[in-house]
């Protein structure tokens, strides 16, 4: 049992939950995730560790309410328990001083990529952070990102904050200005990671993306998280979650992520209203 | 001339009166609608009748045929005498999980294969009797906790709670050691809970075996991925005197044919894990599973049968077994294939999948196969299947489950530099005692042998436990309990 010690609503659909998990907190590195199963009937879902406090023995998870389990998770209060948490899973980000790093986060991806950006910042890189969202109210972690970057750029689809347009346009601009970039890291929705990789590929600009395929055990046992990288099937859970952005078959990933859409709709209907009683 | 009805030991096989007693089974029309166990077990009357068929050989071949050398005539004799609990205890001297082995051991290739009675009639139903005794003991509340020795002061970590890990833990705790099992998943039992379906091995049985170990004092830490949360070397540095690695062969193999990543292609591990471990068949559980109309299961082993029979129970209209050799070479137990056939599985034998076809949205729409014929024997001694020219055809399916085998789990070797593996990724360990290339680290079960049987893994666990006991006692003088 893992006790929830803090909880915060970051937007209409995004929450941060802090959980006691001392062994994971001690071991976890940037880029890794945990598998969460809320209760006896629950499914196992992978969630990125967005931060950890080894002293306090806690990890924090930032998540968006998209399916049944994340909705259920959003209803748990401080003092409640999560039945099962396992991790830290996946390979940590290869952190070193690359030189100049552009870190791109889209929506929730900003929060999920934050520990990676922080680790690269601490490793002495010059960090240019680009955070993006559909509109101003969805721009996340601006203050946190400012602390761990040398330059912070914001892009919104509707222009309500920062640059009016996509983060890829800001990235293209940096490239066109002749900025020396040694690494691009992108965490966000699949179309964004695909678009960023498409921008950097012609320049041979090393690009790391963090993938979010469907998983069950997340220990390498089931293969639900198969992704094609460089024409070879890899397992997102044990070979990833980070891969060379130029090698990933994003089209396949998008399709595979829709495997259970029907079932999700059915669950949403069946449980519509069930989670509304709990506010906070 | 030698009388063929008299065996080498002089038993007159003509004296056999009763035929081999069949175990009552759930009707196949009914059972494909539920996940309850298929064979229903012997009644005491049937068990005694079956036990009376045993000739009590002086040099029992069955015993030599058993990977853990169970004194088979002795436990059968106790059943014949009506001492069912005594029989179960006799079994447990050799095998800590008789209720499991009585169900899933391939007896027809082991003890029953060499049974003298089979020379004239059919063999004594050793597996059925083993199951009967173990079930009797459990369901009659006769399971007793043996007297344990004084705590030895030594502490052993067991990585993985499958058959090898459970049997090692049971042996070690009975020698007085403090034992902690680390299990990566949220439930203990390994392949017994994620892989083997409920209708073949009820999970309540596995749970009661695990409860028994806990009563003996074994601690089980769930959600503990050794190699990630803590490494083997860290366990050794943090107070454990030895580590037994029993992480199994859990990594699913794929065929490498085009289309394997279409939606609707599962590894058997994934399909079975969703249904068995995550209980996707029960609508009250959240884990989703695809409900498709026509499923092809690729492979001819027990796991293929398990996946296919599970698919039938999930309401699939047509389930095909696609296997590249013939029925004779099929590695699945005869009983499993027979049960599957009764339940409506359709066999496409001498058929090799070459490509999975998908629609524009990335979903499986057909499986392209080639007909095969058997050529010369290959390295495995089985005749090698070779493609029949121009025999390609499409199998109309909307889901494919790949059950062609599994390989060693790489996490421990990857994170334990002292532990060496062979080219297949299996941990190199002494056959007799499980000693790996690193001092204090032992390994056994599928992680060493590659995918094998429950009984072999249990045997390895038991042997390693013996070696670990000797190792820790030699390594340093025992601490007294005051120091702990």
């Amino acid at each position: 049992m893992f006790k929830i010690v803090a909880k915060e609503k970051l937007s209409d659909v995004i929450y941060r939950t802090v959980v006691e998990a001392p062994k994971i907190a001690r071991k976890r590195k940037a880029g890794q995730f945990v598998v969460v199963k809320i209760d006896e009937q629950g499914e196992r879902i992978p969630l990125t560790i967005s931060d950890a406090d080894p002293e306090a023995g806690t990890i924090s998870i930032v998540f968006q309410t998209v399916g049944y389990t994340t909705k259920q998770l959003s209803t748990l209060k401080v003092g409640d328990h999560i039945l099962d948490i396992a991790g830290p899973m996946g390979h940590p980000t290869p952190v070193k001083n690359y030189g100049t790093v552009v870190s791109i986060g889209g929506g929730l991806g900003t929060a999920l990529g934050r520990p990676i950006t922080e680790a690269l910042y601490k490793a002495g890189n010059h960090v240019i952070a680009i955070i993006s969202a559909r509109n101003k109210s969805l721009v996340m972690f601006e203050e946190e990102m400012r602390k761990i970057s040398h330059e912070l750029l914001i892009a919104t689809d509707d222009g309500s904050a920062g640059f009016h347009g996509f983060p890829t346009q800001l990235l293209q601009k940096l490239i066109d200005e002749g900025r020396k970039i040694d690494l691009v890291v992108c965490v966000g929705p699949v179309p964004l990671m695909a678009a960023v990789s498409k921008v950097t590929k012609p320049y041979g600009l090393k690009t790391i993306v963090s993938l979010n395929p469907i998983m069950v055990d997340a220990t390498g046992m089931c293969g639900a998280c198969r992704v094609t990288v460089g024409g070879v099937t890899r397992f997102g859970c044990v070979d990833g979650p980070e891969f060379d952005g130029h090698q990933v078959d994003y089209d396949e990933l998008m399709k595979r992520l829709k495997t259970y859409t029907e079932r999700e709709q059915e669950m949403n209907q069946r449980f519509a209203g069930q989670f509304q009683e709990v506010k906070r | 001339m030698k009388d063929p009805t008299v065996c080498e030991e002089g038993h007159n096989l003509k004296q056999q009166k009763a035929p081999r007693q069949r175990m009552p089974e759930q009707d196949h029309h009914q059972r494909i609608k539920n996940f309850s166990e298929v064979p229903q077990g012997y009644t005491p009357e049937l068990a005694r009748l079956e036990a009376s068929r045993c000739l009590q050989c002086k040099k029992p071949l069955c015993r030599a045929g058993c990977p853990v050398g169970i004194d088979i005539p002795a436990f059968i004799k106790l059943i014949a005498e009506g001492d069912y609990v005594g029989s179960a205890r006799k079994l447990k001297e050799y095998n800590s999980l008789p209720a499991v082995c009585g169900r899933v051991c391939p007896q027809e290739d082991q003890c029953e294969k060499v049974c003298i009675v089979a020379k004239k009639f059919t063999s004594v139903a050793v597996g059925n009797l083993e199951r009967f005794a173990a079930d009797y003991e459990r369901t009659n509340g006769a399971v007793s906790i043996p007297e344990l020795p004084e705590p030895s002061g030594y502490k052993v970590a067991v990585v993985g709670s499958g058959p090898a890990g459970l049997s090692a833990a049971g042996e070690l705790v009975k020698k007085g050691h403090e034992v902690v099992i680390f299990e990566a998943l949220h439930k203990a039992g390994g392949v017994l809970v994620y892989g083997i379906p409920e209708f073949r091995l009820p999970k309540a049985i596995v749970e009661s075996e695990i409860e028994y170990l806990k009563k003996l004092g074994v601690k089980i830490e769930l959600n503990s991925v050794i190699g990630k949360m803590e490494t083997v070397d860290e366990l050794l540095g943090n107070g454990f005197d030895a580590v037994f690695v029993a992480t199994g062969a859990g990594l699913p193999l794929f065929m490498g044919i085009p289309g394997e990543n279409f939606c609707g292609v599962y590894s058997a591990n994934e399909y079975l894990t969703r249904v068995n471990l995550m209980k996707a068949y029960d609508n009250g559980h959240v884990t989703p599973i695809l409900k498709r109309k026509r499923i092809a299961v690729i492979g001819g082993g027990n796991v293929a049968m398990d996946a296919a029979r599970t698919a039938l129970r999930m309401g699939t209209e047509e389930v095909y077994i696609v296997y590249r050799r013939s029925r004779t070479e099929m590695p699945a137990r005869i009983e499993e294939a027979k049960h599957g056939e009764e339940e409506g599985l359709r066999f496409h034998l001498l058929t090799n999948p070459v490509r999975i076809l998908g629609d524009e949205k990335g979903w499986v729409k057909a499986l392209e196969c080639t007909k095969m014929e058997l050529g010369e024997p290959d390295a495995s001694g089985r005749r090698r299947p070779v493609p029949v020219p121009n025999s390609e055809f499409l199998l109309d399916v909307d889901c494919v489950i790949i059950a062609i085998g599994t390989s060693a789990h790489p996490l421990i070797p990857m994170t334990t530099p002292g532990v060496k593996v062979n080219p297949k990724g299996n941990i190199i360990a002494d056959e007799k005692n499980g000693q790996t290339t690193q001092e204090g680290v032992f390994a056994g079960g599928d992680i060493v042998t590659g995918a094998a049987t429950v009984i072999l893994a249990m045997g390895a666990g038991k042997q390693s436990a013996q070696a670990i006991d000797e190792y820790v006692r030699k390594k340093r003088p025992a601490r007294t309990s005051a120091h702990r």
Side-chain angles (χ1 to χ4, degrees):
Chain A
M1 298 281 268
F2 299 80
K3 192 177 170 191
I4 296 176
V5 292
K7 187 193 170 186
E8 195 183 344
K9 189 168 180 174
L10 303 177
S11 82
D12 279 355
V13 288
I14 295 176
Y15 295 78
R16 172 164 43 205
T17 293
V18 182
V19 192
E20 275 177 3
K23 282 187 173 177
I24 301 173
R26 269 204 299 277
K27 259 299 161 82
R28 144 287 162 188
K29 291 199 172 79
Q32 291 185 298
F33 62 98
V34 285
V35 168
V36 170
K37 179 170 172 285
I38 296 177
D39 55 24
E40 195 55 46
Q41 282 75 38
E43 62 180 335
R44 294 169 66 97
I45 60 162
L47 293 170
T48 303
I49 305 168
S50 71
D51 209 348
D53 183 341
E55 305 276 292
T58 59
I59 57 168
S60 52
I61 300 158
V62 178
F63 62 94
Q64 186 164 349
T65 53
V66 280
Y68 179 88
T69 300
T70 44
K71 279 178 194 157
Q72 187 187 0
L73 190 58
S74 75
T75 66
L76 299 183
K77 303 179 294 290
V78 171
D80 287 348
H81 288 82
I82 292 171
L83 185 58
D84 300 293
I85 300 181
M89 305 292 202
H91 289 297
T93 309
V95 174
K96 62 172 187 180
N97 191 343
Y98 293 90
T100 299
V101 175
V102 178
S103 164
I104 303 172
L108 175 73
T110 306
L112 305 183
R114 196 207 61 81
I116 303 172
T117 310
E118 182 185 38
L120 291 166
Y121 180 84
K122 284 183 176 162
N125 290 283
H126 180 85
V127 175
I128 306 170
I130 304 177
I131 61 180
S132 64
R134 284 207 307 281
N135 60 53
K136 189 180 176 180
S137 71
L138 297 173
V139 171
M140 294 201 51
F141 275 47
E142 187 182 334
E143 283 319 302
E144 283 97 330
M145 294 304 289
R146 207 174 287 284
K147 285 182 213 152
I148 52 170
S149 61
H150 300 89
E151 299 170 54
L152 180 78
L153 306 171
I154 297 172
T156 51
D157 296 4
D158 66 355
S160 53
F163 174 75
H164 184 173
F166 299 115
T168 42
Q169 292 171 276
L170 284 175
L171 174 64
Q172 186 67 56
K173 220 171 121 208
L174 291 171
I175 295 170
D176 292 345
E177 283 166 4
R179 295 287 299 265
K180 179 187 151 292
I181 301 169
D182 301 291
L183 176 71
V184 175
V185 180
C186 180
V187 183
V190 180
L192 176 67
M193 295 190 286
V196 165
S197 302
K198 203 174 164 191
V199 168
T200 57
K201 195 170 183 181
Y203 305 97
L205 193 50
K206 185 178 163 75
T207 302
I208 295 176
V209 293
S210 179
L211 305 185
N212 56 341
I214 293 170
M215 295 183 191
V216 185
D217 64 286
T219 65
M221 211 187 74
C222 82
C225 60
R226 302 196 295 288
V227 285
T228 301
V229 182
V232 178
T233 295
R234 309 292 300 275
F235 286 6
C237 65
V238 289
D239 299 325
E242 291 170 8
F243 291 100
D244 175 353
H246 298 154
Q247 305 286 325
V248 173
D249 183 340
Y250 295 103
D251 181 55
E252 179 188 277
L253 177 61
M254 289 280 276
K255 285 173 176 159
R256 287 187 63 80
L257 282 168
K258 288 181 187 146
T259 305
Y260 297 102
T261 311
E262 252 177 60
R263 161 79 175 179
E264 273 161 32
Q265 283 163 356
E266 178 201 318
M267 291 292 279
N268 277 338
Q269 274 168 11
R270 185 141 59 100
F271 295 97
Q274 183 179 318
F275 296 138
Q276 285 171 8
E277 298 151 34
V278 189
K279 296 200 174 72
R280 276 180 70 146
Chain B
M1 205 178 122
K2 201 179 161 218
D3 182 352
T5 59
V6 177
C7 82
E8 289 82 350
E9 292 201 355
H11 299 299
N12 187 344
L13 299 179
K14 273 183 192 154
Q15 284 170 356
Q16 280 282 316
K17 288 184 196 83
R20 179 176 162 121
Q21 298 302 300
R22 271 182 62 98
M23 194 180 272
E25 285 178 359
Q26 212 196 141
D27 175 72
H28 61 89
H29 298 291
Q30 276 308 313
R31 72 190 189 225
I32 61 162
K33 294 178 196 141
N34 64 51
F35 277 83
S36 304
E37 203 174 4
V38 172
Q40 303 284 293
Y42 279 153
T43 58
E45 293 70 35
L46 283 175
R48 287 183 78 162
L49 195 53
E50 181 61 30
S52 71
R53 296 180 64 231
C54 175
L55 300 174
Q56 294 293 320
C57 302
K58 294 277 176 309
K59 286 180 194 156
L61 295 177
C62 53
R63 193 170 179 181
C66 173
V68 296
I70 292 176
D71 189 348
I72 292 168
F75 96 79
I76 291 181
K77 186 160 184 266
L78 286 162
I79 293 178
E81 289 165 355
D83 182 2
Y84 310 134
V85 173
S87 173
R89 291 189 182 150
K90 176 57 73 182
L91 276 161
K92 282 187 171 172
E93 287 174 24
Y94 303 89
N95 173 351
S96 54
L97 304 170
V100 174
C101 291
R103 287 170 166 83
V104 304
C105 252
Q107 291 99 7
E108 64 278 13
D109 289 328
Q110 299 175 352
C111 49
E112 294 182 14
K113 188 182 185 177
V114 289
C115 176
I116 291 291
V117 179
K119 288 203 167 180
K120 182 76 181 168
F121 305 96
T122 42
S123 70
V124 174
V126 180
N128 290 357
L129 289 170
E130 179 180 26
R131 170 186 160 152
F132 167 78
D135 285 0
Y136 185 92
E137 187 198 31
R138 188 184 68 256
T139 53
N140 287 281
V143 177
S144 67
I145 305 294
E147 212 167 294
L148 294 174
E150 282 292 300
S152 67
Y154 298 105
K155 205 172 160 184
V156 182
V158 174
V159 184
S161 64
L166 291 178
S167 100
E171 295 297 323
L172 287 163
V173 81
K174 282 187 226 161
K175 292 179 193 294
H177 306 311
E178 187 180 342
V179 182
V180 183
I181 300 181
F182 294 93
E183 167 55 48
L185 294 174
H186 59 270
K187 202 166 202 161
V191 72
L192 305 177
V193 296
Y194 76 73
I196 304 177
E198 179 77 18
F199 56 82
R200 211 150 71 78
L201 177 63
K203 299 307 150 229
I205 291 171
V206 183
E207 273 161 31
S208 78
E209 297 294 354
I210 288 163
E211 279 311 307
Y212 174 74
L213 287 182
K214 284 188 188 164
K215 278 186 197 149
L216 292 179
V218 173
K219 289 197 199 93
I220 302 183
E221 301 262 358
L222 301 172
N223 300 309
S224 300
V225 190
I226 299 304
K228 290 285 179 189
M229 192 185 79
E230 254 174 312
T231 62
V232 167
D233 292 325
E234 282 165 338
L235 291 174
L236 288 170
N238 292 340
F240 286 99
D241 295 291
V243 177
F244 179 60
V245 178
T247 46
L251 246 64
L253 296 172
F254 288 87
M255 298 190 73
I257 58 175
E260 271 183 320
N261 292 349
F262 283 129
C263 300
V265 181
Y266 282 117
S267 72
N269 263 10
E270 181 183 355
Y271 193 78
L272 290 169
T273 297
R274 283 180 184 273
V275 177
N276 297 330
L277 180 71
M278 307 309 297
K279 307 227 179 309
Y281 63 85
D282 168 29
N283 242 343
H285 285 73
V286 185
T287 300
I289 189 151
L290 293 173
K291 296 196 174 130
R292 310 293 278 172
K293 289 198 172 64
R294 286 173 305 279
I295 298 184
V297 179
I298 302 174
N302 287 321
V303 175
M305 297 304 146
D306 285 348
R309 295 173 67 202
T310 298
L312 284 173
R313 285 161 174 77
M314 292 299 294
T316 314
E317 285 169 21
E318 293 282 353
V319 182
Y320 308 109
I321 290 281
V322 178
Y323 179 56
R324 64 195 183 120
R325 301 181 197 247
S326 76
R327 185 88 178 232
T328 330
E329 289 85 18
M330 221 157 65
R333 294 186 66 192
I334 295 160
E335 182 184 67
E336 304 308 328
K338 185 189 101 193
H339 280 151
E341 199 162 35
E342 288 166 3
E343 290 164 9
L345 290 187
R346 290 172 56 184
F347 291 81
H348 282 281
L349 301 170
L350 288 165
T351 302
N352 196 35
V354 288
R355 184 161 65 115
I356 299 167
L357 285 83
D359 65 16
E360 67 287 351
K361 286 185 173 167
W363 285 81
V364 173
K365 66 173 187 187
L367 179 67
E368 187 181 318
C369 303
T370 303
K371 282 288 186 192
M372 308 294 274
E373 56 192 4
L374 293 178
E376 294 300 309
D378 63 11
S380 73
R382 298 178 297 179
R383 291 175 67 192
R384 184 195 303 275
V386 289
V388 176
N390 305 317
S391 65
E392 291 79 12
F393 69 100
L394 286 184
L395 201 55
D396 178 20
V397 294
D398 52 11
C399 183
V400 174
I401 298 173
I402 299 172
I404 58 163
T406 54
S407 63
H409 205 293
L411 194 50
I412 296 295
M414 261 164 55
T415 54
T416 318
V419 169
K420 300 281 174 262
V421 295
N422 69 15
K424 282 184 171 174
N426 296 113
I427 291 179
I428 298 168
D430 186 287
E431 214 175 279
K432 292 228 161 55
N433 60 26
Q435 173 65 56
T436 68
T437 49
Q438 181 173 345
E439 197 201 318
V441 183
F442 297 77
D446 284 3
I447 185 67
V448 172
T449 57
T453 57
V454 169
I455 188 76
L456 281 173
M458 286 191 29
K462 192 176 169 180
Q463 283 180 338
S464 292
Q466 182 65 38
I468 290 168
D469 179 62
E470 286 162 18
Y471 167 76
V472 294
R473 289 181 196 279
K474 247 186 242 162
K475 192 180 114 179
R476 62 167 173 80
R479 292 190 200 111
T480 61
S481 48
H483 287 103
R484 294 174 70 217

